[in-house]
Amino acid sequence: MKCFLFIVAIVFTHMAFAETTTVPVTDRPWVIIFDTPGQLQHESKSKGEYFQYTGHTSGGFNVSVFVEPILGNGGSHKAVKAHYWPQMMKNPRIDPSSVMPMDQENHSSVKYIIEAEKDGVRHRIPNLNLFIEHEGAWIDVHVSKYPWNKEDFLLFYDFQNSLKFVKKK
């Protein structure tokens, strides 16, 4: 019973802080919408078909969105992941044993742990990348949270499930 109440408390606490963010992607006929655990301080910039959005909450939730024209081979979620993930794996702070790739209908994703040191203390920081092909664009969405608490386990799941594309009005 205590476990059930704990989970219910986390879900309701988590839901109470959900904030919907709309990212109007320059030069595209759609926006990206997703939920975060609080209001984002953000900035965006674009150059031609390239668009970048970065944001963070006061609680340490970070999100970045990169939109580019199709590069490399193919216009699928798997092609996006096949292009970007090998480059990302060169980061020596990624714990190779933590890498969990997954292909789904609406995106490909990779969850992994970054190992970092701050003030002499070693930290393991969960990260998530979503790789998406959408209407002629490749999209790489990165999410991380620091500091990470056991109460945060739903954040990536909720973010991933909330992300959608909507036509501009």
Side-chain angles (χ1 to χ4, degrees), residues 7-70:
I7 290 172
V8 169
I10 289 174
V11 170
F12 282 112
T13 301
H14 179 67
M15 288 171 48
F17 292 105
E19 185 85 22
T20 299
T21 298
T22 300
V23 178
V25 180
T26 308
D27 294 333
R28 299 289 176 174
W30 37 263
V31 298
I32 302 172
I33 298 174
F34 50 79
D35 292 338
T36 59
Q39 187 171 9
L40 290 174
Q41 299 296 318
H42 66 277
E43 63 182 17
S44 61
K45 58 184 175 181
S46 64
K47 185 175 182 181
E49 294 184 76
Y50 296 83
F51 176 82
Q52 178 181 345
Y53 172 95
T54 57
H56 65 277
T57 68
S58 60
F61 185 84
N62 302 290
V63 61
S64 57
V65 178
F66 300 91
V67 179
E68 301 181 332
I70 291 178

Side-chain angles (χ1 to χ4, degrees), residues 147-166:
W148 182 263
N149 302 302
K150 62 183 176 184
E151 295 84 15
D152 295 331
F153 74 95
L154 291 175
L155 291 178
F156 290 176
Y157 177 81
D158 287 350
F159 178 88
Q160 183 172 317
N161 288 325
S162 73
L163 190 136
K164 61 187 171 194
F165 297 86
V166 176

Side-chain angles (χ1 to χ4, degrees), residues 54-109:
T54 57
H56 65 277
T57 68
S58 60
F61 185 84
N62 302 290
V63 61
S64 57
V65 178
F66 300 91
V67 179
E68 301 181 332
I70 291 178
L71 305 170
N73 296 321
S76 69
H77 308 314
K78 288 181 182 180
V80 180
K81 183 177 73 176
H83 180 81
Y84 290 115
W85 184 245
Q87 297 171 45
M88 295 171 68
M89 272 303 296
K90 293 177 184 176
N91 182 342
R93 297 186 311 157
I94 293 177
D95 174 2
S97 69
S98 72
V99 174
M100 296 186 300
M102 183 179 290
D103 294 314
Q104 296 177 274
E105 185 178 330
N106 57 347
H107 64 268
S108 289
S109 65

Side-chain angles (χ1 to χ4, degrees), residues 81-150:
K81 183 177 73 176
H83 180 81
Y84 290 115
W85 184 245
Q87 297 171 45
M88 295 171 68
M89 272 303 296
K90 293 177 184 176
N91 182 342
R93 297 186 311 157
I94 293 177
D95 174 2
S97 69
S98 72
V99 174
M100 296 186 300
M102 183 179 290
D103 294 314
Q104 296 177 274
E105 185 178 330
N106 57 347
H107 64 268
S108 289
S109 65
V110 180
K111 294 178 187 172
Y112 56 97
I113 301 289
I114 292 280
E115 295 182 336
E117 189 172 311
K118 183 176 180 180
D119 300 326
V121 178
R122 193 171 178 170
H123 299 277
R124 293 178 54 81
I125 305 165
N127 286 256
L128 167 69
N129 277 78
L130 303 175
F131 302 102
I132 305 163
E133 186 283 327
H134 184 72
E135 296 184 4
W138 277 10
I139 299 119
D140 175 11
V141 179
H142 173 259
V143 179
S144 65
K145 170 77 168 59
Y146 179 81
W148 182 263
N149 302 302
K150 62 183 176 184

